[in-house]
Amino acid sequence: MEDCPCKRKKLDDDTENSRTMSSNGEEQEIKAGSQDKEYFQSYADVGIHEEMLNDVVRTNAYRYAILKNYEKIRGKVVADVGAGTGILSVFCVQAGAKKVYAIEGSALAKQTRLVVEENKMADRITVLQGRAEDVKLPEKVDVIVSEWMGYALFYESMLPSVLHIRDRWMKKDGVILPSSASLYIAPFSDDEISERLETWSAMKEKYKVSMDCMKTYAKQCLSYGAHVRCICPEDVIAHACQLVNFDLSKVTVQEVTDIQRNFELTCFGSSVLHGFVLWFTVSFPENVILSTSPYSQSTHWGQTLFYNEEECDVRQDTQIQGKITMKPNKAKPRFLDVNIGFQIDKHNIQQKSYYMSDNIT
């Protein structure tokens, strides 16, 4: 496994509350609104933006895509959804945009205005502070640009906000940047896990205290939620399966908030299956692609890993068949509930649920 910079979200996770949520719709709405407040507060912190801007793969991909699509942007009206520091809005003006509405839900909007003024673009960029669902634009837009992707593509559930702007404010022949998004799954092996678990066996030699019983608990903790890191290509033990490929000009909110997909994987050779890894790509017109694959340059998204409670031996041409579901958590919809069920060579179905909170390691 490799180290890579990762975006950290501080959304004040409350696992117990999310598990015992009342079915009362009004209470759920209050909880979701409360999490939105925490979400936007987290994005007012400069550290998150430092990490994203220092991700040159991410930022240069957007810059290149915007400038390469200048013919679609020049003289047009643009909405930048989740504008942050406003860098994408500035790129759009550099590409010739007539007007950019930079929509930013957090208190960072004040700093966004200063960035706009510093770049002498106040006559072309208007910063609107508020949720995308609440803002009222003075006019329809020709182009939407947004960096909405989270871990495993859908973490934080920002895409529905972009689709709201699309449906409410974009002209019928409008353009969305990026224009499509794909999510992939593959099995992985992690040699470091065995070493980590052996830590408990080593306690007897170190301190004359036996702690082998902790291994099972350590496995349970490891497989409770998601882990984000950059894995080595050799840790991927089968070709990836594409789970989704969404055309962002057509996909619906229902489709992006209720992912249910089957997958089939064929292993390369003898190895140990420790879990499943997810990554995504987004594509822009003019053949510009931003990939978070382990075979591409590292980004702050890394890859998202889900560990099994029990490891499984596999060999050449071992077949792994399974199903994955991904939905926003009912109590805290910025978080995700993920379920992965699978069987190896059509034997012994294994099922595991994961909770993608802000306690991502």
Side-chain angles (χ1 to χ4, degrees):
M1 300 285 176
E2 300 176 347
D3 292 328
C4 62
C6 292
K7 205 164 35 172
R8 290 291 178 244
K9 305 296 185 281
K10 303 172 184 177
L11 303 185
D12 190 21
D13 179 25
D14 183 351
T15 301
E16 182 63 25
N17 183 56
S18 70
R19 293 299 184 188
T20 59
M21 182 61 203
S22 166
S23 61
N24 182 281
E26 182 179 357
E27 184 179 358
Q28 180 174 323
E29 184 177 352
I30 292 172
K31 294 298 183 183
S34 174
Q35 194 191 26
D36 267 356
K37 182 179 179 181
E38 297 159 3
Y39 171 72
F40 290 122
Q41 285 175 343
S42 76
Y43 271 93
D45 181 73
V46 72
I48 287 177
H49 300 280
E50 288 173 347
E51 289 180 326
M52 291 190 290
L53 291 173
N54 284 327
D55 183 346
V56 295
V57 176
R58 162 212 182 256
T59 307
N60 275 334
Y62 269 85
R63 181 172 182 267
Y64 182 54
I66 289 169
L67 296 179
K68 193 171 183 182
N69 283 278
Y70 74 94
E71 291 184 349
K72 298 177 177 67
I73 296 172
R74 184 175 55 194
K76 303 295 185 179
V77 179
V78 179
D80 178 3
V81 184
T85 58
I87 192 168
L88 301 187
S89 296
V90 171
F91 290 162
C92 288
V93 171
Q94 291 174 343
K98 178 177 67 175
K99 185 70 178 181
V100 180
Y101 295 103
I103 304 167
E104 174 54 39
S106 78
L108 189 76
K110 180 179 178 180
Q111 298 302 129
T112 311
R113 292 187 181 97
L114 294 178
V115 172
V116 170
E117 292 170 4
E118 185 175 339
N119 285 273
K120 299 178 172 55
M121 295 180 178
D123 60 329
R124 309 269 289 278
I125 301 175
T126 297
V127 179
L128 302 173
Q129 184 175 355
R131 296 171 67 249
E133 291 81 359
D134 299 333
V135 297
K136 290 181 171 55
L137 302 183
E139 57 187 318
K140 295 279 190 176
V141 302
D142 304 286
V143 180
I144 294 173
V145 61
S146 180
E147 195 273 79
W148 53 267
M149 300 83 72
Y151 300 136
L153 192 60
F154 300 110
Y155 179 73
E156 292 187 328
S157 301
M158 184 180 167
L159 181 54
S161 297
V162 178
L163 301 184
H164 173 84
I165 294 294
R166 180 200 68 187
D167 296 341
R168 175 67 181 84
W169 295 108
M170 193 177 79
K171 296 177 182 176
K172 289 184 178 181
D173 58 347
V175 176
I176 298 184
L177 303 176
S179 55
S180 66
S182 299
L183 180 66
Y184 298 86
I185 189 170
F188 74 91
S189 182
D190 184 357
D191 294 337
E192 296 176 7
I193 289 301
S194 297
E195 297 176 10
R196 181 172 169 180
L197 293 175
E198 283 306 309
T199 297
W200 300 105
S201 296
M203 294 300 106
K204 189 166 187 177
E205 182 178 345
K206 284 183 178 181
Y207 308 117
K208 308 305 179 185
V209 178
S210 179
M211 289 192 175
D212 279 341
C213 61
M214 287 294 295
K215 286 184 179 180
T216 299
Y217 179 67
K219 288 180 181 180
Q220 291 172 347
C221 292
L222 190 66
S223 63
Y224 172 70
H227 301 260
V228 173
R229 68 192 67 158
C230 297
I231 69 173
C232 299
E234 53 265 31
D235 293 330
V236 180
I237 59 176
H239 289 299
C241 174
Q242 186 182 80
L243 296 172
V244 302
N245 181 24
F246 287 143
D247 179 343
L248 298 181
S249 68
K250 299 177 181 178
V251 69
T252 66
V253 172
Q254 174 64 28
E255 289 174 317
V256 303
T257 55
D258 187 9
I259 307 297
Q260 301 185 51
R261 294 292 190 277
N262 296 320
F263 60 85
E264 293 188 10
L265 305 160
T266 303
C267 294
F268 296 138
S270 297
S271 187
V272 177
L273 169 66
H274 286 106
F276 296 90
V277 55
L278 302 183
W279 67 80
F280 66 85
T281 64
V282 294
S283 301
F284 302 81
E286 302 299 329
N287 198 32
V288 179
I289 297 174
L290 169 58
S291 174
T292 64
S293 162
Y295 305 103
S296 301
Q297 286 183 277
S298 299
T299 70
H300 73 279
W301 286 286
Q303 292 86 43
T304 304
L305 283 65
F306 298 95
Y307 283 88
N308 303 330
E309 282 192 22
E310 299 295 334
E311 60 187 38
C312 305
D313 292 326
V314 297
R315 57 189 183 277
Q316 178 75 35
D317 296 328
T318 291
Q319 298 292 311
I320 303 174
Q321 296 176 316
K323 180 177 182 178
I324 183 171
T325 64
M326 304 174 70
K327 299 179 181 181
N329 180 265
K330 289 183 178 180
K332 289 182 173 285
R334 296 289 178 182
F335 299 154
L336 289 179
D337 291 325
V338 179
N339 182 276
I340 300 176
F342 71 96
Q343 57 184 156
I344 296 176
D345 287 334
K346 298 183 178 181
H347 296 103
N348 302 326
I349 296 176
Q350 299 187 44
Q351 197 88 15
K352 179 66 182 173
S353 294
Y354 306 86
Y355 179 48
M356 282 189 72
S357 68
D358 59 355
N359 190 27
I360 293 176
T361 59

